[in-house]
Amino acid sequence: MLFNNPPLTPPLKKEADNRMAYVGRFAPSPTGPLHFGSLITTVASYCDAKAHHGQWIVRIEDTDIPRIYPNSEQHILQCLDAFEFESDVKIIYQKDRLDIYEAVIGQLKQKNLVYACECTRKILGSNHIYAGTCREKGLAFQDQAIRIKVSDSIICFTDHLQGQHCSNLQKDLGDFVLKRRDGIINYQLAVVVDDYLQGVTHVVRGADLLDNTERQIWLRQCLGYPQLQYLHLPLAMNDQGQKLSKQNLAQALDIQQAPQLLQQAISALGQLPVDLDQPHKMLAQASAQWDVQRIPKGTEIQGIFK
């Protein structure tokens, strides 16, 4: 291990108790409208939670305020309503929780687990592995990026679908940013803190986030948070061989076609067919029949989607 310091005592009161053996979540970013790939993740996270008699919660991950797409938060809520997904707790918005993330950064500062970094993209160039240039400079934190120190050790986890996945963060990535120079809280920090505070136990999300997991495991270790269970889903691809995403201009979900699209998403996940009906009845049937072993193996779903 890199540090001799004991792990941080979680500084904040949890917003959910630990009596639930399973708490899952769907946590979209409002950087564009939800698309069919988003629906696949929503269905899988919901059905996996309900199949385990657990809670399913919704969180809007909107810390990257400059990238918020106009009206996309409203579209997310409209889609959830049209497809009849219901969060078991009140929906939270990360942009309303910046003081919480700052408090956690303060705790990390006290333990000397983070440092200020003045490196710009121009200085870093094309090198995606941070060399620790500012680690020993002792720069003031004001108006600088904040990085967390990582160790030269291998972190592994076993994904329920993708199998074992490992990374040496120091060699594969280097110390990574928790807060940008412009004050934006990084996704890695916000997601770890909120998963802990909301009592999340299981994360079901797309395979495009697989490589984030070791960073989040490391951060959870530094904060003294319990580790989670992970299931990374194969991705729906477009006719260009690209994952469906907002950046690749995937079509927004048509809420007028909610039952039909829901049926298609359940099928894309390899699950047993459900009757075309009201969405909440379809979701109940899909949850009752849910079988992770039927989800297509690998990181891509065969077929072309829009």
Side-chain angles (χ1 to χ4, degrees):
M1 295 292 291
L2 179 61
F3 311 116
N4 293 321
N5 296 324
L8 292 177
T9 300
L12 305 167
K13 183 178 180 181
K14 296 185 70 171
E15 296 157 1
D17 61 39
N18 279 331
R19 288 179 293 177
M20 296 296 295
Y22 189 114
V23 178
R25 44 77 160 178
F26 174 60
S29 298
T31 53
L34 294 185
H35 49 75
F36 188 71
S38 310
L39 181 59
I40 287 175
T41 301
T42 317
V43 169
S45 63
Y46 180 90
C47 289
D48 201 58
K50 297 306 177 181
H52 288 88
H53 309 289
Q55 278 190 333
W56 183 78
I57 63 179
V58 175
R59 180 172 70 230
I60 306 298
E61 298 194 334
D62 53 359
T63 57
D64 198 347
I65 296 172
R67 293 185 61 225
I68 295 177
Y69 190 82
N71 301 317
S72 57
E73 290 187 359
Q74 181 181 359
H75 179 263
I76 290 171
L77 298 180
Q78 288 176 337
C79 286
L80 292 173
D81 185 57
F83 287 86
E84 300 182 7
F85 291 103
E86 185 174 352
S87 177
D88 289 318
V89 302
K90 182 181 178 181
I91 296 174
I92 67 169
Y93 297 78
Q94 288 185 333
K95 68 172 181 283
D96 299 330
R97 300 163 64 82
L98 301 182
D99 57 334
I100 295 176
Y101 312 134
E102 292 288 356
V104 173
I105 289 175
Q107 290 261 325
L108 292 167
K109 289 178 181 177
Q110 291 175 9
K111 293 294 184 178
N112 193 33
L113 302 182
V114 295
Y115 60 93
C117 174
E118 64 182 355
C119 296
T120 62
R121 290 186 179 182
K122 183 176 181 181
I123 292 173
L124 296 175
S126 60
N127 187 3
H128 72 281
I129 303 175
Y130 185 68
T133 306
C134 294
R135 185 189 270 213
E136 304 301 332
K137 287 186 177 181
L139 300 171
F141 284 100
Q142 185 174 1
D143 299 324
Q144 304 289 7
I146 296 177
R147 292 182 182 271
I148 187 166
K149 301 172 183 178
V150 299
S151 70
D152 184 8
S153 60
I154 296 175
I155 295 175
C156 293
F157 70 98
T158 301
D159 186 87
H160 285 285
L161 192 62
Q162 305 297 336
Q164 189 177 59
H165 196 268
C166 300
S167 177
N168 182 316
L169 291 177
Q170 190 175 99
K171 294 180 179 178
D172 297 337
L173 179 71
D175 300 336
F176 58 93
V177 173
L178 298 184
K179 182 181 180 182
R180 296 184 343 205
R181 179 191 297 262
D182 60 6
I184 297 297
I185 297 294
N186 185 277
Y187 160 77
Q188 309 294 349
L189 175 64
V191 71
V192 164
V193 172
D194 283 334
D195 279 345
Y196 169 72
L197 291 179
Q198 293 194 286
V200 170
T201 60
H202 292 69
V203 173
V204 177
R205 59 188 180 187
D208 53 330
L209 295 173
L210 190 62
D211 289 338
N212 286 298
T213 308
E214 285 90 356
R215 275 174 273 183
Q216 292 164 17
I217 289 173
W218 174 251
L219 189 50
R220 294 185 75 88
Q221 288 178 358
C222 291
L223 290 166
Y225 297 171
Q227 296 303 328
L228 308 180
Q229 300 292 315
Y230 294 94
L231 190 159
H232 286 83
L233 302 163
L235 305 174
M237 312 298 285
N238 64 19
D239 57 2
Q240 303 297 314
Q242 303 166 320
K243 71 170 184 176
L244 291 187
S245 69
K246 301 154 190 171
Q247 290 79 12
N248 293 328
L249 305 179
Q251 293 182 9
L253 290 173
D254 182 356
I255 61 176
Q256 301 301 320
Q257 298 292 318
Q260 292 81 1
L261 289 170
L262 193 56
Q263 194 173 54
Q264 292 174 26
I266 292 167
S267 175
L269 285 162
Q271 301 302 298
L272 294 173
V274 298
D275 301 324
L276 193 63
D277 204 327
Q278 296 176 29
H280 72 275
K281 293 182 180 179
M282 298 172 69
L283 288 169
Q285 185 179 357
S287 298
Q289 300 174 166
W290 182 249
D291 183 359
V292 170
Q293 298 304 314
R294 297 184 66 91
I295 300 176
K297 301 299 186 288
T299 58
E300 297 180 9
I301 300 175
Q302 295 301 311
I304 297 175
F305 303 91
K306 297 181 179 180

